[in-house]
Amino acid sequence: MNNRDSYDDIINLPHHVSARRARMSMTDRGAQFSPFAALTGFDAAIEETDRLTDRRIELTEGEKEILNDTLLGIMERIAEQPEIGVTYFVPDQRKAGGAYIRRTGRVKKIDPCGRSILMTDGTVMAMEQIIKLEELSD
């Protein structure tokens, strides 16, 4: 007896259709066979680990003095809203380190007590994060 003979009695029977359940769509049927993602989030974790951050630079006393002198000069001209170029450190929220951002714009206010600089576009920079500050010519 070969395999074909064993199915002769059922091979031409009509396909069963349930009277109680609706027919499953092709999309839902296909979803049953989609791959299982056992390591959900693993790729994102690997990407996060690979993402590079910069270490925060510690300024020397001489560099801090130059920065302070430049800041005092800007404070004297604050009514003119002088244009400046500034490089500052933004700490990363997820891991050690961060990124340095270079921005140019006009200064609206300098808050010595809060140790921050407010730009006319609303950006606030903490003075302790600034590593380079320069007045740009108008």
Side-chain angles (χ1 to χ4, degrees):
M1 172 182 206
N2 63 32
N3 286 341
R4 188 149 203 255
D5 295 335
S6 62
Y7 295 108
D8 283 344
D9 58 333
I10 63 170
I11 199 77
N12 292 319
L13 290 177
H15 178 72
H16 173 73
V17 177
S18 174
R20 289 188 281 170
R21 298 184 188 266
R23 187 167 183 166
M24 187 181 286
S25 72
M26 293 299 274
T27 304
D28 290 342
R29 284 180 56 92
Q32 295 180 75
F33 303 102
S34 64
F36 172 66
L39 300 175
T40 301
F42 183 71
D43 290 338
I46 294 296
E47 279 182 32
E48 178 63 22
T49 303
D50 286 346
R51 189 171 54 84
L52 298 176
T53 56
D54 294 322
R55 285 188 298 157
R56 188 170 183 276
I57 298 170
E58 292 296 325
L59 298 177
T60 65
E61 288 303 316
E63 291 168 326
K64 287 178 185 177
E65 192 172 312
I66 292 168
L67 197 60
N68 191 46
D69 290 344
T70 305
L71 190 59
L72 289 173
I74 293 168
M75 287 176 77
E76 289 174 1
R77 297 184 47 226
I78 197 70
E80 302 168 28
Q81 294 186 338
E83 186 173 14
I84 64 168
V86 62
T87 303
Y88 63 102
F89 184 74
V90 177
D92 194 291
Q93 299 297 317
R94 296 187 194 149
K95 62 195 284 188
Y100 281 94
I101 296 177
R102 167 87 173 138
R103 180 176 296 263
T104 59
R106 297 201 171 273
V107 180
K108 182 175 184 178
K109 180 181 175 183
I110 295 177
D111 181 4
C113 295
R115 307 232 354 106
S116 63
I117 298 175
L118 173 65
M119 305 295 279
T120 56
D121 67 0
T123 303
V124 178
M125 294 167 281
M127 288 183 194
E128 62 269 5
Q129 303 295 3
I130 296 172
I131 64 162
K132 186 175 182 183
L133 180 66
E134 57 188 333
E135 277 193 80
L136 303 175
S137 59
D138 290 330

